[in-house]
Amino acid sequence: MAEIQLRNVCKRWGSFVGVDDFDLTIADREFLVLLGPSGCGKTTTMRMIAGLEEATSGDINIAGRRVNDLDPKDRDIAMVFQSYALYPNMNVYDNIRFPLKVRKVPQEEHDARVRRASAMVELDEFLHRKPSELSGGQRQRVALARAIVREPNVFLMDEPLSNLDAKLRVSTRAQIKNLSHELAVTTIYVTHDQIEAMTLADRVVVMKQGIVQQVGTPTEIYDKPANTFVAGFIGSPAMNLMEGKLEGGTFTGENVEVAGLKGPDGPAVLGFRAEDAQITNAGEINAPAYSVELLGDATMITVRAGGALVAVKAHKDYRTKIGAPAAIAVAPTICHLFDAESGQRID
Ligand code: ATP
């Protein structure tokens, strides 16, 4: 059992705040993803949990024990990094076995544990190869097996897929998802890839400049982004965000007018997702098509509205030309409203 509690955890270097007041309880066996752009403090947060970085203030508890002053090796955590950090002179078997030797696990347990861990990541056939004789994906699986073999209380994974090519990333992602289900160990996973976050997480923490922006299930974050930053970070494409003003429930901006909204009068940002709107005859957005992209399963039409480029997914057979008038139906029910100044969601 390993619940992790982070209580007002901060990391400062001089006057620079890397992580600001991180406060969260991660449930036993939860798969938590820390998501955000480069430099937002995800790795620092994870390194503090691992004990590789000292928290400037706040408490870190693992399984009911304050670990701030414990060495990394005493925290019962296994880590997987983007650089696989395998020992080049050892074969796969010995690489996976290494943590058992270091931890002085009784010799007679080694073979069964190495074989179990390597079977879980489908490396059984490669046990005698050296890392240099493996593909990138296979090396990453050795790194995973080396973490699994320890049977730790907590897994920490820092961008473990980022060195893999796009196709391998998708299949290895599925494998990590399956493994996490099978192992049922509390896992913290760092990524800047929102698709990875959405597909893997029980809950996602979205961070920006050291500050937590939102914590929620992938569905909550997708359906109800807390602010324009989260709205613009999640989804492919990200949510369309237009500037304008709200008056008596009607939002108006360049080339856009949507009635039937609820919110205070004043400057506002209106958002909607490309897949929620439709190309129509008479729409709330009317503007010439800026681009037309055939995606295979849909045709993406982009127009300029509310000071931004706004995308809508039309039927895959829909055809139009750049510059031809486009009308987009934006029902109030698909809209998200945000305060223009703070960027916070208006409910
Ligand atoms: P990336 O995806 O690029 O790894 P990240 O979200 O993991 O980014 P962190 O590595 O946690 O970001 O860094 C957070 C911030 O803290 C960054 O602005 C970084 O420059 C800063 N930082 C990290 N380590 C130190 C350090 N030792 N001294 C000063 N600043 C640091």
Side-chain angles (χ1 to χ4, degrees), residues 317-334:
D317 298 328
Y318 182 80
R319 293 290 180 272
T320 187
K321 290 197 165 59
I322 291 176
I328 302 170
V330 183
T333 45
I334 67 163

Side-chain angles (χ1 to χ4, degrees), residues 37-58:
S38 182
C40 72
K42 348 178 253 301
T43 298
T44 303
T45 304
M46 203 176 82
R47 286 172 59 84
M48 288 191 286
I49 297 169
L52 300 173
E53 197 79 70
E54 198 182 336
T56 312
S57 59

Side-chain angles (χ1 to χ4, degrees), residues 288-301:
Y290 172 86
S291 75
V292 180
E293 296 163 282
L294 307 185
L295 304 182
D297 63 341
T299 301
M300 188 83 82
I301 313 294

Side-chain angles (χ1 to χ4, degrees), residues 13 16-19 36-45 53 82 158-159 190 192:
W13 291 279
F16 181 81
V17 182
V19 176
S38 182
C40 72
K42 348 178 253 301
T43 298
T44 303
T45 304
E53 197 79 70
Q82 74 184 73
D158 192 357
E159 308 252 8
V190 164
H192 61 269

Side-chain angles (χ1 to χ4, degrees), residues 25 31 56 65 125 292 297 325:
T25 299
F31 197 114
T56 312
R65 185 167 62 144
E125 292 170 34
V292 180
D297 63 341

